[in-house]
Amino acid sequence: MRIESSKRWLSGGLVLLALSAAYLYGFPSATVTYAVADLLHVAIGILVFLLLLVFLVSLLWTGTTVARMGWMLLAAGTLLGMALIKIGTPHHLWNWLYAHIVLCVAGTLLLLADWLRSKGWLGQTFASQALRFAGLALVVFTISAGLWRTREIGWRDARANRIINPFLPPDSMDREGDGSGGKFFPSSAQTKHDVNIPSQYFMKSDACQRCHADICAQWNSSMHHFSSFNNQWYRKSIEYMQDVAGVRSSKWCAGCHDPALLYSGLFDTPIKQIVNRPEARAGLGCLMCHSIVEVKSTMGQGDFFLEYPKLHELAASENPIVRKLHDFVVRLNPEPHRRTFLKPFMRTETAEFCSSCHKVHLDVPVNRYRWIRGFNEYDNWQASGISGQGARAFYYPKSPMNCADCHMPMTPSKDDGNINGLVHSHRFPGANTAVPTANRDEAQYEFAKSFLQDKQLSVDIFAVSPAGKESAAPVRNELGKQELSTAFAVGEESEASLPKGPAGELRAITAPIDRTDAAVRRGDDVRVDVVVRTRKVGHFFPGGTVDAFDVWLELQATDEKGQTIFWSGRVEDNGKGPVEPGAHFYRSLQIDGHGNVINKRNAWATRSVVYVHLIPPGAADTVHYRLHVPENCGYKITLHAKLNYRKFSWYNTQFSFAGVPEDVTKLVSGDAKETTPDYDDRKFAFNGDTSIVSGNIKAIPNLPITVLAEDTKSLRVLPRNALPPQPKTVSLKEEWARWNDYGIGLFLQGDLKGAAAAFEKITEADPQNPDGWTNIGRVLVQEGDTAGARRVLEKSLAIDPKLGRTNFFYAKVLREDGDYDGAMAHLKTVLEQFPRDRVVHNELGRVLFLGKRYADAVAEFEKTLAIDPEDLQAHYNLMLCYNGLGNDKKAEEHKARYLRFKADESAQAITGPYRQAHPDDNNERQAIHEHYSVALNAASPRKSAAPKIAAKISRAENAKPGGGN
């Protein structure tokens, strides 16, 4: 009797367990209903376990063979379930969780089969019983598979969990996010249900610490933590912006920097009034990034939805009982918690997720001017070889990499949620050495320094040649090309025209210096070429806010007597002051409407760009120095080149910590103001009160200069009356990449003859290396020599017929020759390997357009917009295609976007007076230019001619139509 009663109780319990298990497994959600079902499943499981503890022996004694197997499997499953109640089911214990599920399902299946057999429902013969049992097992398997599909595939493919670009971007910033009337505008960020989120929600990272102690400790020193007004550089930039341009426009920054203030409504108050509140110093806590429930596009600007999960109040409760109950439920079944705070796109579309804040644009509501691209880490990564999506890259990596591979590397941890003992580092290694310095956080500083010096770039003092005539001819872009309006750089995400200039003559170089026993002669001027190559950088170098950094290449030459005979890139005040202005910088030099440098993180005042020097990922820059060998030089010159990095420029740091206007009452002329959102003509002194600055150093910090890469080479020095050293080159098969890098640097600055000669060295060293031929083909395509390009590209294709970059350039040649079918065939070969290369889609669309296949061309250009809705070339060509199709409405839609994103050519006129007044910057603006030494006390070289030459060029550019680049 007791056995039958226990069977009934066990059978009822198993039914409830099966139903609750199906619900818990297939439909996880962070709701009270789900939590109650979780606790009910545990309670019933404990009851079943106790019943089995008492009656298992009897059940085994009286049951059939099938029933005994079922009870034993069920007992093992419930025993494992009891253990999981104690230890929880974090990710690294999922094998045990699935073992529990499999044992219980198998045991229940056998018991169900035994019960059906006892009722005669499985048939009388063994064959019928086996067949019907198989059918029963198939039903159980189908239900299980359906629940798995709902749990995994349905969740992964839900629309909100995928990042899908809109077909058309807005034609105005007023239609981004919640629109011009939105509470967070001009940030594109939105909240679900259009509600404010309590500021305390973003300040409860300590609640996460109970399960994720390692991650919270890493985050505590990270730049995400110091994204807000606990960062003096950011604080000063917003205080300045609000003083000059108002509070509302600064919400553009707050969407990604100040969640506790913006989403609670506090940001409507000027920051100076609330800067000491805890909300202003919360930074980006755990619950900012992890509360993003939808990313609307890859257009950046905070283009996401945030959602406030009400059940978080349990986690952050001050009641210890409530907290313990919450933590128990989460440890018991972390899946609802994971789904709330770790959306699929955070893992499967990591770069697209990061783009929501690491890509920005400015427009009228922010800058009172027009659309301009700000910094943009996503597009140049996406289109590069590093991502595995760019066909035209100079180098393809062994395996593609995304943001997290570099900036969230796996690190050992025992935190809940670890995978094989590893978690993604939430220190977010990057390039910020300034904030740790101001915070006196030595560990974070060393972490950032180690990251920067981890062979991210290389420097190679590569070639020497006679200096020749002093000139720096201006190089302008190809006329007729549509250029994006940007203060950043445009790389392989757009087929922006490369500089074109005089073909010139081939230089008689000696290279590599270390392979040729290079020599120079006293009294001569020589040109030294230094190659800087990006190696592990997945975006432009430098990245981020490139108007605010000091990044430069330094070259120093000394002889064995200890004399310094050349020095470019010296830092004033014994390494504590500004960098000498004639150095080779990597930055974006922007100016406001009156020609004042954008040096206060006031990108919203940018009206024109003097120059942008950034190195694309997997590419190189070749820097030229004019070295005078003095008569009193020794017999050996040692060249030492260093790529230096200071997180913020000297001026920006001085301004951020102690900058105050020298005279706030002064007017420039008549009633004109000295400062407006368009310009700031004021002069600033650096003697403000530093006792109230953010950070642990209550003074202007001396920021460290980090050497990212360096190289040393030596030159023999010959007497003045010796014969001139003869040029010599050595090309080794194993060092082909050095010649390739040298050529890439020359090619990107428009020195096409020099680039072609460098690439030819690769073909001499290794004729079976297709890249040498391909890159010569690039040069010839740029020169317009399609016949020559065709010959060398066919040599490359004979070696590797599928090489994506070769097929692309060969298709361009065929298109120029009018062979549209051949061009399309080769472009399709590229797209088979690189289906997300937008330039290839644009090229194919252009070929279709030329063939008057307008509808097919539209489909191709729309594929580009699916990758980047702001692609200028796609909108321009869609405008033409719809004109061809007679669809005026569609043509006007794309015309509006084209005009929105297109560069304002007239803005270059602003740079004229600035360049005349700043010859070093004008020299740097030229695509091909040389750098001279600063004045030295001993063994000084002759006075630099660069300022005179640069000034002449500046005047010449201004005099010519379309002058400037």
Side-chain angles (χ1 to χ4, degrees):
M1 187 68 179
R2 292 176 61 194
I3 293 294
E4 293 303 317
S5 176
S6 67
K7 282 186 176 181
R8 284 196 297 272
W9 278 98
L10 284 168
S11 298
L14 289 178
V15 171
L16 292 175
L17 283 174
L19 292 174
S20 62
Y23 170 65
L24 292 173
Y25 183 79
F27 308 94
S29 61
T31 61
V32 173
T33 302
Y34 189 89
V36 169
D38 226 344
L39 294 172
L40 182 65
H41 186 79
V42 169
I44 297 172
I46 292 173
L47 177 61
V48 168
F49 174 75
L50 293 175
L51 288 172
L52 285 175
L53 202 62
V54 175
F55 296 107
L56 180 60
V57 174
S58 299
L59 291 170
L60 294 176
W61 184 262
T62 59
T64 65
T65 301
V66 173
R68 289 172 186 167
M69 292 174 61
W71 289 119
M72 290 176 66
L73 289 172
L74 192 63
T78 54
L79 181 63
L80 184 54
M82 293 304 103
L84 293 176
I85 292 173
K86 173 66 177 176
I87 63 177
T89 59
H91 192 282
H92 63 278
L93 295 178
W94 274 12
N95 288 340
W96 293 110
L97 172 64
Y98 278 97
H100 163 70
I101 294 172
V102 170
L103 287 170
C104 291
V105 169
T108 303
L109 175 63
L110 290 175
L111 291 172
L112 178 61
D114 184 69
W115 180 75
L116 292 174
R117 183 201 57 77
S118 68
K119 299 296 184 181
W121 293 347
L122 288 185
Q124 301 301 316
T125 66
F126 177 79
S128 65
Q129 290 177 356
L131 186 61
R132 293 181 185 182
F133 175 79
L136 180 63
L138 182 61
V139 169
V140 172
F141 176 80
T142 301
I143 293 173
S144 300
L147 290 171
W148 176 85
R149 182 175 179 80
T150 301
R151 174 188 174 97
E152 300 295 339
I153 307 301
W155 165 249
R156 184 197 68 193
D157 291 345
R159 171 61 185 86
N161 291 334
R162 294 180 295 148
I163 300 175
I164 301 174
N165 280 316
F167 172 68
L168 267 182
D171 60 359
S172 164
M173 183 176 263
D174 288 342
R175 280 171 280 282
E176 294 175 0
D178 285 323
S180 58
K183 60 184 71 176
F184 312 129
F185 185 82
S187 170
S188 295
Q190 296 172 268
T191 58
K192 286 289 186 181
H193 316 299
D194 192 30
V195 297
N196 284 352
I197 298 176
S199 60
Q200 289 298 309
Y201 173 70
F202 297 104
M203 302 167 64
K204 292 294 185 180
S205 295
D206 57 340
C208 307
Q209 189 174 11
R210 300 199 296 270
C211 294
H212 304 288
D214 287 347
I215 287 175
C216 282
Q218 295 160 6
W219 164 84
N220 195 51
S221 291
S222 75
M223 294 311 100
H224 276 201
H225 185 193
F226 292 95
S227 70
S228 192
F229 299 99
N230 49 3
N231 175 336
Q232 181 60 28
W233 286 271
Y234 177 75
R235 172 182 170 179
K236 183 69 172 185
S237 70
I238 299 301
E239 290 175 346
Y240 172 78
M241 183 179 188
Q242 292 188 353
D243 287 344
V244 176
V247 172
R248 182 173 172 82
S249 60
S250 66
K251 290 183 178 181
W252 173 73
C253 310
C256 286
H257 281 267
D258 314 297
L261 293 175
L262 181 66
Y263 302 113
S264 65
L266 284 171
F267 210 86
D268 291 320
T269 304
I271 192 58
K272 287 183 177 179
Q273 299 178 24
I274 57 174
V275 73
N276 292 317
R277 290 185 58 149
E279 294 91 339
R281 296 167 182 267
L284 290 178
C286 308
L287 297 172
M288 170 58 192
C289 297
H290 288 284
S291 291
I292 294 174
V293 295
E294 181 180 348
V295 175
K296 296 173 284 180
S297 75
T298 60
M299 292 186 287
Q301 207 76 8
D303 201 17
F304 49 67
F305 273 105
L306 287 170
E307 186 171 38
Y308 174 55
K310 292 290 290 182
L311 289 185
H312 172 74
E313 294 173 6
L314 301 178
S317 172
E318 299 297 326
N319 186 318
I321 296 176
V322 173
R323 279 205 313 270
K324 284 187 177 295
L325 180 61
H326 169 272
D327 291 355
F328 170 75
V329 172
V330 170
R331 289 183 65 82
L332 180 70
N333 184 359
E335 188 62 17
H337 178 80
R338 186 174 75 93
R339 293 189 174 213
T340 301
F341 296 116
L342 190 64
K343 303 300 182 187
F345 53 71
M346 297 179 184
R347 287 186 174 276
T348 60
E349 298 175 279
T350 305
E352 288 70 22
F353 173 55
C354 296
S355 77
S356 61
C357 280
H358 290 270
K359 176 182 176 181
V360 302
H361 59 266
L362 303 87
D363 211 333
V364 176
V366 180
N367 63 11
R368 294 168 173 82
Y369 174 45
R370 55 159 299 149
W371 191 95
I372 297 179
R373 165 69 66 220
F375 80 89
N376 180 4
E377 312 293 29
Y378 173 74
D379 283 340
N380 52 90
W381 165 84
Q382 187 275 326
S384 74
I386 304 296
S387 69
Q389 300 175 44
R392 294 156 298 111
F394 290 104
Y395 295 99
Y396 297 149
K398 292 181 180 178
S399 58
M401 299 180 71
N402 65 33
C403 309
D405 292 320
C406 293
H407 299 291
M408 294 187 72
M410 302 301 286
T411 186
S413 174
K414 294 182 180 179
D415 274 5
D416 288 342
N418 77 77
I419 300 176
N420 299 322
L422 299 170
V423 297
H424 283 284
S425 173
H426 283 62
R427 279 187 181 270
F428 305 106
N432 198 319
T433 54
V435 171
T437 298
N439 290 342
R440 290 198 170 108
D441 187 342
E442 187 67 22
Q444 181 69 16
Y445 167 70
E446 289 296 333
F447 187 75
K449 180 182 175 183
S450 297
F451 174 79
L452 287 169
Q453 295 181 330
D454 187 25
K455 299 179 181 178
Q456 307 287 353
L457 299 103
S458 63
V459 171
D460 186 4
I461 304 173
F462 186 74
V464 64
S465 60
K469 183 180 178 181
E470 294 179 344
S471 67
V475 179
R476 292 189 298 277
N477 284 346
E478 186 177 353
L479 294 177
K481 281 285 188 178
Q482 295 77 41
E483 301 292 352
L484 187 77
S485 176
T486 180
F488 202 64
V490 178
E492 289 167 314
E493 69 270 22
S494 173
E495 195 178 14
S497 57
L498 290 170
K500 282 194 172 182
E505 296 180 354
L506 286 177
R507 300 187 69 86
I509 66 171
T510 296
I513 288 176
D514 55 323
R515 299 294 185 196
T516 53
D517 192 26
V520 294
R521 192 171 59 171
R522 292 189 184 98
D524 286 352
D525 282 5
V526 296
R527 190 175 88 168
V528 176
D529 294 339
V530 182
V531 179
V532 181
R533 158 85 186 276
T534 51
R535 294 192 174 274
K536 294 167 63 177
V537 182
H539 45 71
F540 274 114
F541 170 82
T545 52
V546 291
D547 57 297
F549 307 154
D550 272 340
V551 186
W552 73 102
L553 185 64
E554 177 183 356
L555 181 67
Q556 191 172 13
T558 58
D559 65 10
E560 75 276 15
K561 301 177 185 179
Q563 296 183 117
T564 298
I565 63 173
F566 182 94
W567 198 347
S568 172
R570 185 173 66 180
V571 181
E572 297 177 13
D573 193 15
N574 294 319
K576 298 179 181 179
V579 183
E580 60 99 354
H584 186 76
F585 289 97
Y586 293 103
R587 64 179 177 183
S588 172
L589 180 59
Q590 305 161 33
I591 55 176
D592 67 18
H594 280 188
N596 302 296
V597 175
I598 300 298
N599 52 16
K600 296 177 279 294
R601 284 276 47 246
N602 51 328
W604 40 270
T606 295
R607 296 297 178 266
S608 193
V609 178
V610 179
Y611 68 79
V612 180
H613 278 176
L614 305 177
I615 309 177
D621 180 37
T622 301
V623 188
H624 312 296
Y625 294 93
R626 181 178 285 259
L627 168 66
H628 177 70
V629 184
E631 297 289 352
N632 63 345
C633 183
Y635 291 94
K636 178 183 177 182
I637 294 176
T638 298
L639 301 170
H640 187 200
K642 296 189 296 184
L643 182 61
N644 296 320
Y645 175 89
R646 183 160 56 184
K647 170 59 184 176
F648 293 111
S649 70
W650 177 87
Y651 183 96
N652 186 251
T653 296
Q654 303 292 309
F655 171 78
S656 297
F657 280 76
V660 291
E662 289 184 348
D663 183 358
V664 297
T665 62
K666 181 182 176 184
L667 298 179
V668 287
S669 62
D671 294 329
K673 293 182 179 180
E674 198 174 17
T675 178
T676 74
D678 295 310
Y679 60 84
D680 189 346
D681 292 335
R682 295 174 296 175
K683 303 298 181 184
F684 286 82
F686 306 133
N687 54 12
D689 181 10
T690 60
S691 66
I692 59 173
V693 299
S694 299
N696 293 328
I697 296 178
K698 303 302 180 182
I700 302 175
N702 177 31
L703 294 188
I705 295 173
T706 303
V707 178
L708 306 184
E710 56 188 324
D711 188 34
T712 301
K713 297 290 194 313
S714 61
L715 300 170
R716 290 186 298 113
V717 179
L718 304 177
R720 183 182 182 86
N721 58 2
L723 293 174
Q726 295 303 300
K728 180 181 180 182
T729 59
V730 174
S731 50
L732 302 175
K733 181 177 180 179
E734 59 272 19
E735 290 189 349
W736 73 272
R738 293 181 70 186
W739 281 104
N740 202 42
D741 294 341
Y742 181 61
I744 290 168
L746 297 176
F747 175 72
L748 293 179
Q749 61 192 220
D751 185 354
L752 302 181
K753 294 295 184 184
F759 295 140
E760 285 171 3
K761 295 297 178 183
I762 302 171
T763 65
E764 293 173 9
D766 184 7
Q768 292 304 304
N769 184 336
D771 283 316
W773 303 111
T774 297
N775 287 337
I776 295 172
R778 286 184 199 246
V779 172
L780 295 175
V781 167
Q782 190 64 21
E783 287 183 338
D785 181 0
T786 56
R790 186 168 189 155
R791 285 193 299 271
V792 293
L793 291 171
E794 285 174 352
K795 290 183 179 181
S796 179
L797 289 173
I799 299 168
D800 187 347
K802 292 292 186 181
L803 190 61
R805 46 182 168 257
T806 314
N807 276 277
F808 174 79
F809 291 108
Y810 193 64
K812 286 177 69 70
V813 169
L814 295 178
R815 192 250 289 172
E816 289 296 319
D817 290 345
D819 183 358
Y820 297 156
D821 290 337
M824 285 189 287
H826 282 276
L827 290 171
K828 289 176 181 178
T829 297
V830 180
L831 289 172
E832 287 172 2
Q833 304 169 69
F834 301 93
R836 283 178 55 81
D837 190 317
R838 67 189 80 175
V839 173
V840 182
H841 283 296
N842 280 343
E843 181 69 16
L844 180 54
R846 186 67 182 166
V847 173
L848 291 165
F849 173 81
L850 292 172
K852 301 190 184 322
R853 295 170 57 180
Y854 300 133
D856 292 335
V858 165
E860 206 60 41
F861 290 124
E862 286 178 347
K863 292 177 183 177
T864 297
L865 294 184
I867 301 167
D868 178 17
E870 297 165 319
D871 189 274
L872 187 73
Q873 300 297 326
H875 286 296
Y876 175 77
N877 284 295
L878 281 165
M879 175 182 70
L880 299 180
C881 288
Y882 280 118
N883 279 331
L885 290 168
N887 190 332
D888 294 340
K889 180 176 181 295
K890 289 285 190 181
E892 284 299 315
E893 286 179 347
H894 290 286
K895 179 181 178 181
R897 275 73 182 176
Y898 166 68
L899 293 176
R900 184 187 181 199
F901 304 139
K902 182 179 180 293
D904 177 10
E905 294 92 343
S906 64
Q908 277 299 303
I910 302 173
T911 70
Y914 176 87
R915 289 184 281 121
Q916 288 182 337
H918 300 84
D920 287 310
D921 290 333
N922 189 50
N923 182 56
E924 188 79 339
R925 172 188 171 92
Q926 311 312 313
I928 306 172
H929 60 275
E930 295 176 345
H931 293 274
Y932 295 76
S933 177
V934 298
L936 301 169
N937 292 328
S940 297
R942 62 184 175 180
K943 185 177 179 180
S944 168
K948 184 186 300 184
I949 296 165
K952 289 180 181 178
I953 293 165
S954 177
R955 290 191 290 272
E957 279 189 337
N958 291 333
K960 295 177 182 178
N965 56 345

